[in-house]
Amino acid sequence: MKNTKTKLTGISLLLAIAMTVMSACGANGNNAANSGAQPTASSSAETASPSAETTPASEEPTPETQDEGTLTVYLNDFDDIIGPMFEAATGHKINLVKGNGAEIMSRIQAEKGNPHWDVVWLDAMPTVYGMGEDNQLLTDWVPDNAAKLKDTYQAYVPANKSFYPTGAHAAGIIVYNTNAYTADQAPNSWDDFAKPEFKGAVGMADPAIAAPAFPFVARFFSEKQLDGGKTFFDSLFANGLKVYPKNPNVAAALSSGEIKAAALQESNAYGLVNSGEPIGIIWPEDGAPASVRVAAIQKNTKNPNAAKAFVNFLLDPATQQQLIDQGDESYFEPSVPGVNPKADRAADANLVAADAAWAFEHEAEIKQWFADKAVK
């Protein structure tokens, strides 16, 4: 019995030694494989879940990141088709809450202590940039499709990666009523709006209300700086510039003859032409101020998997092509290659955007100054 007990003790000791050696070898192997590796969202997911190697974490939630309900997206009042498109492609349920820029931002501000939204998708890059600076947005996350962004749009992504651009459109191009002017008589540059022959004949949307209107004015202010921007718009106000709440109001005033020329958002402009209205379109050589449409995720979203899937979905070339082919706001420049803009959209359309950080820094001041001038 004593010999048997001794043998068992010896075997137990050998097994313990063997297990220790195997454990050490395994640890050294992992360290060697991981030495020099940079941490990324995908590598973290692979460590957390064996299934992450074949299924992206954004689409196959782990028990630690289960979504709690329906994805809620706050967006400008455009593209009703995005909801059914997203649900069909991913299986995630989505709730769209739409409004103009002022309405959406007022709602977000009112809910700041208890956000009801998961994703915001707006024609308001400077404003969304500010939300990132205010610690309201998920940062340092990179969707897979972000690698497909064109260089111009890669440059719009902020350092903290708080939002991603899904395209851009002209916040304003020059349009005119062809019953009032020929192409030669119509204004051909932004400076022309201040000429005496266009006194009282020009209109635009209010940058405090219409989402694309602030990027429009911000471009002039950032290019000319604050004093130069005020001088430029002072010359337009002195010439009788009319300001309307939103771009559809500008379009209606143009069609009725209340104004004869305007700075009009491009989908509204092409919509008038396609509906048979007597409207001409001019893309100014010095560029049309761009409204960059961006998508961002709420920092404490309760539906992180659906939220990430939605932003990634918006950056998919197939999604952007379908929005151009079938969407309500189909006139825009895609942010990824391999997507064809509308055939009747100007091939040489030149979009120029204000720097988001600069525009956000001066947003309140510019809007207040503009509002005071418009009231007068």
Side-chain angles (χ1 to χ4, degrees):
M1 179 69 72
K2 183 176 179 179
N3 289 338
T4 302
K5 187 179 294 185
T6 301
K7 289 179 180 179
L8 288 173
T9 301
I11 292 171
S12 298
L13 181 59
L14 288 172
L15 286 172
I17 293 171
M19 290 177 67
T20 301
V21 171
M22 290 174 65
S23 176
C25 289
N28 289 338
N30 287 340
N31 289 339
N34 292 334
S35 63
Q38 297 299 316
T40 64
S42 58
S43 62
S44 298
E46 289 171 5
T47 302
S49 172
S51 65
E53 292 183 3
T54 55
T55 305
S58 61
E59 296 179 8
E60 185 65 31
T62 66
E64 293 79 17
T65 59
Q66 284 283 358
D67 289 349
E68 295 186 10
T70 298
L71 179 73
T72 296
V73 177
Y74 284 8
L75 71 163
N76 291 133
D77 41 4
F78 51 60
D79 287 332
D80 286 333
I81 68 170
I82 196 65
M85 283 171 57
F86 177 66
E87 290 185 349
T90 67
H92 291 292
K93 295 298 181 184
I94 188 171
N95 173 43
L96 302 180
V97 178
K98 300 185 293 182
N100 62 45
E103 291 167 345
I104 293 298
M105 290 313 303
S106 293
R107 183 186 286 264
I108 288 175
Q109 185 62 30
E111 298 172 1
K112 195 170 182 180
N114 182 28
H116 299 167
W117 57 280
D118 299 296
V119 176
V120 61
W121 186 32
L122 288 180
D123 289 336
M125 183 168 65
T127 305
V128 178
Y129 175 89
M131 293 173 65
E133 293 295 290
D134 194 35
N135 201 32
Q136 296 182 57
L137 304 176
L138 177 71
T139 59
D140 299 316
W141 170 71
V142 182
D144 291 341
N145 285 333
K148 300 175 183 177
L149 286 168
K150 299 174 184 176
D151 290 345
T152 301
Y153 290 87
Q154 289 280 9
Y156 291 142
V157 178
N160 64 1
K161 299 177 176 61
S162 58
F163 65 74
Y164 290 90
T166 66
H169 55 88
I173 50 178
I174 297 173
V175 295
Y176 62 95
N177 191 311
T178 57
N179 290 331
Y181 306 124
T182 65
D184 292 336
Q185 295 169 332
N188 279 264
S189 72
W190 300 116
D191 289 336
D192 285 352
F193 280 179
K195 289 184 176 179
E197 57 264 40
F198 303 116
K199 187 173 182 63
V202 176
M204 64 168 286
D206 189 337
I209 298 175
F214 177 68
F216 176 78
V217 302
R219 169 62 187 178
F220 293 100
F221 276 95
S222 64
E223 181 185 31
K224 302 174 183 294
Q225 296 301 298
L226 287 174
D227 288 342
K230 291 176 182 179
T231 298
F232 172 72
F233 280 104
D234 267 335
S235 69
L236 303 192
F237 281 117
N239 207 40
L241 175 70
K242 293 180 171 62
V243 178
Y244 299 86
K246 299 172 65 176
N247 279 285
N249 304 115
V250 179
L254 194 64
S255 295
S256 69
E258 182 178 332
I259 55 176
K260 299 175 182 177
L264 186 62
Q265 188 267 349
E266 68 169 284
S267 285
N268 285 271
Y270 283 103
L272 289 175
V273 173
N274 293 337
S275 64
E277 295 289 335
I279 300 299
I281 293 175
I282 296 173
W283 283 83
E285 291 184 3
D286 53 346
S291 179
V292 183
R293 188 169 295 174
V294 299
I297 299 174
Q298 196 257 114
K299 180 181 180 181
N300 297 313
T301 175
K302 295 179 180 179
N303 299 293
N305 303 293
K308 291 177 179 180
F310 183 73
V311 175
N312 198 49
F313 180 71
L314 294 176
L315 299 178
D316 190 311
T319 299
Q320 295 191 17
Q321 189 66 69
Q322 190 170 353
L323 290 173
I324 288 173
D325 293 342
Q326 302 173 19
D328 300 321
E329 291 281 337
S330 56
Y331 286 88
F332 67 89
E333 179 181 84
S335 64
V336 292
V339 183
N340 299 314
K342 284 289 190 186
D344 56 336
R345 188 176 186 268
D348 57 348
N350 179 22
L351 295 178
V352 287
D355 177 73
W358 190 96
F360 166 68
E361 179 184 354
H362 299 285
E363 182 172 7
E365 180 182 358
I366 292 172
K367 285 183 175 179
Q368 186 58 57
W369 180 87
F370 206 93
D372 292 342
K373 286 291 181 177
V375 168
K376 293 177 183 179

